[in-house]
Amino acid sequence: MAVLLVGALALAQGLTPEQMEQGKQIYFQQCAGCHGVLRKGATGKNLEPETLKKEGLTEDAIKAIITNGMGGMPAWGKLGILKPDEIDLMAKFLLSPVPEPPAWTFEDIKKNWKVHVPVSQRPTKPETTRNWQNFFGVILRDMGQVAIVDGDTKELVKILPTGYATHILRSSKDGRYFYVIGRDGRAEIIDLWSKEPTLVAEAKVCLDARSIDTSKYEGYEGKYAVVGCYWPSNFVILDGQTLEPIKMVSTQGYVQSTGEFLRENRVASIVSSHFSPEWILNIKEGGQTWLVDYSKLNLKGKPIVVKMIDTDRFLHDGGWDLSKRYFLVAANAVKKVDVIDAKTGSFVASIPVGNKPHPGRGANWVHPEYGPVWATGHIKDNKIAVIGTDPEGHPQYAWKVVKMIETMSPGNLFIKTHPKSPWLIADFPVAPTPEANATLCAWEKDNLEKDPVCWEVPGARDIHARMVHIEFNKDGSEFWVSAWANKDTPSFIVVYDSYTLQEKTRITGDWVRTPTGHFNVYNTANDIY
Ligand code: DHE
């Protein structure tokens, strides 16, 4: 009955069932991440038809917003990502009732789980002669692939097929395995010890996901993996070697402050504690950090203890401080960074920052005056917030913004540094102008008063590329940045000297298409950022 009703109302909006299906696909690929599958809003605004109508947003007004972008939202039309007929369709789709998203059960995960290389047939020591700890796993987003590139020689080692729009890679504690998660909820394990990198296991864990990590506490290294799902809203614990599903836990629940029930209460960033056998899971819409104890999963009944800490709402991405005791996470829609103490399992602070903080994993260094600091950029502000993180040595600065650095544009997504580099580097992939999208800036970490060095990356604008995501190599002597163009255009990854900021080389080839995140084995395994 409900399905018939949605169908009838969609037709009233002028959409056939086929167009409705196409609208669902486009919405899932481009919109759901920020606005939610139920369209109730999170990083992006509420897009329920009633809200849009109340705000006076007509079909034409919606088309203009999708074409030209708004705030942190990309200009889908101008960037050539959506064609005019797709934009027309989406304006109608958004004014139609929200379709019911499908379910995905534990049985579905089991049916879609494959071990390609059993544990007994995997090498017991590295069989590759390359310096595998300096490999980079490069996401080729729209190709559904991950490329393994040798960080010493810059040679392509292997391209592996992964899920649709792979989002991030994380490493096992020893660095041997890359754990991959795609936007379509597909997880994979890549073994870097084989003669050449090999996909050893995969599982379709949910329908929409962004995060994955493994057990890293002493005695549990690599035993379990955990995937944080957007839809259905839950987390799933898997065997760390084979990805066999072990336990599925729903995160649907209540907003603590209002009592509102949330079917869509998504799992955003996840990190593995160094102080106890726990993962730190950040629950987006409800505003809680969950400490999930994985130490009793081998017991009958697989008991699991979850400590729920109330935080600000709309938690997103974040990273450790320099000591790896405190986890700092952006509550992006409410302009805060929250701090969790992994040692005591408690909430520490809610720090006001700029508009839509987006740290990636953030950047850590020791400032001559403020001591250890962590920093985040912003999507909607031209600012980088530098926060003191040393309550014992520098209590006067702890959990305060000690410095707000001005940037040349809003639209920053990632910042990064390395203990060996004097620079803090920032990208601007969601800035409003193509010039800014192609530009990188660097600040002297010890002298934040000094103007940054900013440069437009030659050739990026020619292929409509946005420079995105910064990652250092193992010894910190260079950093890599992806030129994210569209799928039809071969692109490049630029390698810079991390002291002089001079371009050293480019990684090119027909295979370099839609590179986004790229992860160095050593730095990812050891949380160096
Ligand atoms: Fe990401 C990290 C969610 C858009 C590239 N992204 C994360 C994390 C989350 C997240 C929750 C933290 C994972 C962790 O640490 O466990 N990202 C989302 C979204 O919901 C959002 C805003 C919209 C969406 O529809 O997905 C989004 N992200 C993007 C992009 O548009 C990027 C640039 C390219 C892409 O793949 O779509 C992108 N996100 C990344 C990367 C990281 C990431 C490269 C890991 C950064 C790191 O250094 O660890």
Side-chain angles (χ1 to χ4, degrees), residues 19-197:
Q19 287 172 318
M20 197 65 191
E21 271 314 304
Q22 193 190 349
K24 276 197 230 169
Q25 271 305 317
I26 297 176
Y27 186 83
F28 167 69
Q29 287 164 4
Q30 315 294 359
C31 322
C34 291
H35 301 278
V37 71
L38 299 176
R39 298 199 214 152
K40 289 187 182 293
T43 303
K45 75 183 285 300
N46 180 302
L47 292 181
E48 290 173 297
E50 306 74 44
T51 313
L52 298 176
K53 285 175 191 159
K54 217 184 287 163
E55 289 171 354
L57 287 169
T58 59
E59 228 177 277
D60 282 343
I62 298 171
K63 279 192 245 174
I65 295 172
I66 301 176
T67 307
N68 302 314
M70 191 183 207
M73 185 177 99
W76 299 112
K78 279 194 180 158
L79 284 166
I81 297 169
L82 292 182
K83 299 189 192 79
D85 59 325
E86 291 174 323
I87 294 174
D88 286 357
L89 173 78
M90 287 317 288
K92 291 194 174 72
F93 178 82
L94 292 178
L95 289 168
S96 305
V98 179
E100 178 60 22
W104 193 254
T105 64
F106 196 75
E107 274 311 302
D108 291 324
I109 306 175
K110 274 197 153 164
K111 273 190 241 149
N112 290 279
W113 161 58
K114 289 181 205 133
V115 177
H116 299 295
V117 183
V119 178
S120 59
Q121 289 169 26
R122 297 182 199 166
T124 50
K125 55 181 190 328
E127 286 180 351
T128 171
T129 51
R130 291 177 185 266
N131 179 11
W132 61 274
Q133 289 194 331
N134 196 29
F135 280 173
F136 281 72
V138 179
I139 293 172
L140 303 173
R141 186 188 184 283
D142 296 354
M143 306 303 289
Q145 296 171 335
V146 166
I148 306 297
V149 181
D150 185 324
D152 290 358
T153 65
K154 318 293 184 284
E155 286 166 307
L156 171 67
V157 183
K158 180 94 181 169
I159 292 187
L160 298 142
T162 54
Y164 164 74
T166 292
H167 210 80
I168 66 164
L169 268 56
R170 292 292 184 247
S171 293
S172 54
K173 184 143 187 191
D174 59 6
R176 168 202 185 147
Y177 292 126
F178 264 139
Y179 289 80
V180 181
I181 188 72
R183 197 174 276 249
D184 58 358
R186 199 171 120 183
E188 287 100 3
I189 303 181
I190 300 172
D191 188 356
L192 303 173
W193 277 10
S194 319
K195 272 203 186 73
E196 52 175 30

Side-chain angles (χ1 to χ4, degrees), residues 307-367:
K307 280 185 235 153
M308 298 178 185
I309 303 173
D310 288 347
T311 59
D312 284 304
R313 292 189 65 190
F314 307 112
L315 301 181
H316 194 75
D317 51 351
W320 292 113
D321 76 311
L322 211 49
S323 73
K324 301 185 179 53
R325 168 172 173 177
Y326 300 101
F327 184 70
L328 293 97
V329 54
N332 60 13
V334 296
K335 307 178 192 169
K336 299 271 177 61
V337 165
D338 283 9
V339 186
I340 301 294
D341 182 347
K343 191 170 174 187
T344 58
S346 55
F347 179 82
V348 176
S350 162
I351 307 163
V353 291
N355 200 352
K356 295 255 161 85
H358 191 280
R361 283 168 287 172
N364 283 294
W365 72 98
V366 181
H367 186 272

